[in-house]
């Protein structure tokens, strides 16, 4: 970070980032915010249609982006995506591990074992796989890096009836701590974000937003509304940038006080 004439610069121009699940929601908003800050962005998304849309959106504003079809549950796919990042842009500085599937909606006493396995695979094992290949690349480069894992407000104030999602997100926080402990010596920072309810497709799938939005928003924070994806994206960009150069190993709430309620 540099501070010149009272202006804070995040020094992101020329950096290279991967954003998983960047076709929609928080991942898309983060990829666009990074692209607009001069970062070269790899859109690592399983859905080609939305992945290409994010790539086009960044390019239409003069940014640099490449969509790389990626399944974050596959080690080969994640490894190939990191290799592709280096082929396209020469290095890897920033990783936003964001891809996930929606929360389950059942009690632990009745939980669906297939859904459990799928949720742990997509929402937790994927983060371990991404960390593995991202860290190997960053350590080999020897120039540090910043990794942001999307956890959830559910790790700060758990909700009933989403056991698999909650367990996976607690796991993401645990992985964040281990990765931060192991890699500070390489100048690599690893942090998590804990957003509360954010207006994305994932949230729409979980709630019938038309039904009782007033009641819902009052349960999810002190500001009387859900977060916008851009509000979570801006926190991710800050953690990715040199502006947060002394921050590692945290699980940062972006929750309008949800954890206090
Ligand atoms: N929306 C919320 O209220 C909220 C709250 C807390 C945490 N989060 C977390 O934030 C992150 C983003 O959530 P969102 O609301 O933007 O979700 P979203 O459903 O809008 O986007 C998720 C993206 O991940 C992609 N994806 C799914 N499986 C994948 C796979 N195997 N490989 C690659 N990509 C895959 C999807 O295609 C989609 O583009 C998630 O980790 C989520 O758990 C969201």
């Amino acid at each position: 970070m540099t501070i010149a004439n009272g202006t804070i610069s995040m020094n992101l121009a020329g950096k290279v980032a991967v954003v998983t699940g960047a076709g929609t929601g928080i991942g898309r908003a983060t990829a666009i915010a990074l692209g607009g800050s001069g970062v070269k962005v790899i859109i690592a998304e399983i859905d080609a249609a939305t992945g290409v849309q994010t790539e086009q959106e960044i390019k239409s504003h003069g940014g640099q982006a490449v969509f790389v079809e990626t399944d974050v549950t596959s080690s080969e796919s994640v490894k190939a995506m990191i290799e592709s990042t280096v082929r396209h842009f020469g290095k890897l500085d920033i990783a936003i591990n964001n891809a996930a599937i929606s929360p389950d909606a059942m009690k632990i006493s009745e939980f669906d074992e297939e859904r459990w396995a799928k949720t742990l695979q997509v929402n937790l094992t994927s983060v371990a796989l991404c960390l593995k290949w991202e860290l190997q690349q960053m350590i080999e480069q020897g120039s540090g890096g910043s990794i942001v894992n999307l956890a959830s407000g559910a790790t700060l104030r758990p909700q009933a009836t989403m056991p698999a999602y909650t367990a996976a997100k607690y796991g993401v926080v645990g992985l964040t701590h281990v990765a931060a402990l192991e890699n500070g010596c390489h100048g690599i920072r690893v942090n998590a974000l804990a957003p509360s309810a954010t207006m994305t497709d994932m949230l729409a799938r979980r709630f019938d937003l038309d039904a009782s939005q007033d009641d819902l928003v009052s349960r999810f924070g002190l500001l009387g509304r859900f977060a916008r994806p851009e509000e979570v994206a801006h926190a991710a960009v800050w953690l990715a940038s040199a502006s947060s150069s002394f921050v590692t190993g945290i699980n940062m709430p972006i929750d309008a006080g949800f954890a206090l309620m």
Side-chain angles (χ1 to χ4, degrees):
M1 182 178 72
T2 52
I3 304 177
N5 304 324
T7 304
I8 298 176
S9 161
M10 289 204 275
N11 283 348
L12 280 165
K15 300 281 184 193
V16 175
V18 303
V19 183
T20 70
T24 58
I26 292 167
R28 178 178 190 275
T30 304
I32 290 170
L34 287 168
S37 306
V39 176
K40 300 168 191 168
V41 188
I42 295 290
I43 313 297
E45 166 63 56
I46 200 167
D47 180 68
T50 58
V52 168
Q53 276 171 17
T54 303
E55 180 196 291
Q56 295 306 329
E57 175 75 17
I58 293 171
K59 285 179 170 169
S60 73
H61 290 95
Q64 292 188 62
V66 174
F67 162 64
V68 177
E69 192 166 330
T70 309
D71 177 358
V72 291
T73 66
S74 154
S75 188
E76 297 83 64
S77 180
V78 175
K79 182 171 184 276
M81 180 271 290
I82 298 297
E83 287 166 356
S84 181
T85 303
V86 176
R87 231 178 8 260
H88 281 289
F89 294 136
K91 58 177 183 164
L92 175 67
D93 302 304
I94 294 163
I96 313 292
N97 297 324
N98 162 84
I101 54 171
S102 302
D104 39 341
M106 57 198 78
K107 292 182 177 177
I108 183 75
S109 54
E110 296 159 2
F111 82 94
D112 180 292
E113 290 161 32
E114 233 173 82
R115 175 76 193 196
W116 171 274
K118 174 85 177 160
T119 303
L120 272 282
Q121 186 72 16
V122 185
N123 292 11
L124 177 58
T125 306
S126 69
V127 178
L129 292 171
C130 287
L131 285 168
K132 173 179 172 171
W133 296 115
E134 291 157 1
L135 285 164
Q136 285 191 15
Q137 178 60 35
M138 288 178 177
I139 291 167
E140 187 188 319
Q141 288 172 196
S143 51
S146 179
I147 300 178
V148 181
N149 297 323
L150 265 291
S152 166
T155 61
L156 302 172
R157 181 162 174 249
Q159 303 290 295
T161 72
M162 35 193 230
Y165 185 85
T166 305
K169 293 299 186 181
Y170 270 84
V172 168
V173 175
L175 286 174
T176 301
H177 290 159
V178 171
L181 284 164
E182 290 177 0
N183 292 285
C185 59
H186 298 292
I188 301 169
R189 299 182 297 109
V190 188
N191 293 292
L193 276 181
S196 61
T198 307
M199 285 298 287
T200 66
D201 293 351
M202 182 179 286
L203 189 71
R205 281 193 295 272
R206 180 155 169 82
F207 300 119
D208 178 356
L209 292 178
D210 295 331
S212 54
Q213 199 157 334
D214 287 350
D215 173 50
L216 274 176
V217 292
S218 66
R219 279 171 37 205
F220 282 97
L222 304 175
L223 298 180
R225 63 178 178 82
F226 296 130
R228 294 186 295 275
E230 293 75 18
E231 292 175 301
V232 182
H234 291 174
V237 171
W238 180 74
L239 282 175
S241 78
S243 290
S244 60
S245 52
F246 207 58
V247 180
T248 193
I250 66 164
N251 181 27
M252 183 167 137
I254 304 295
D255 71 345
F258 172 63
L260 292 175
M261 297 173 73

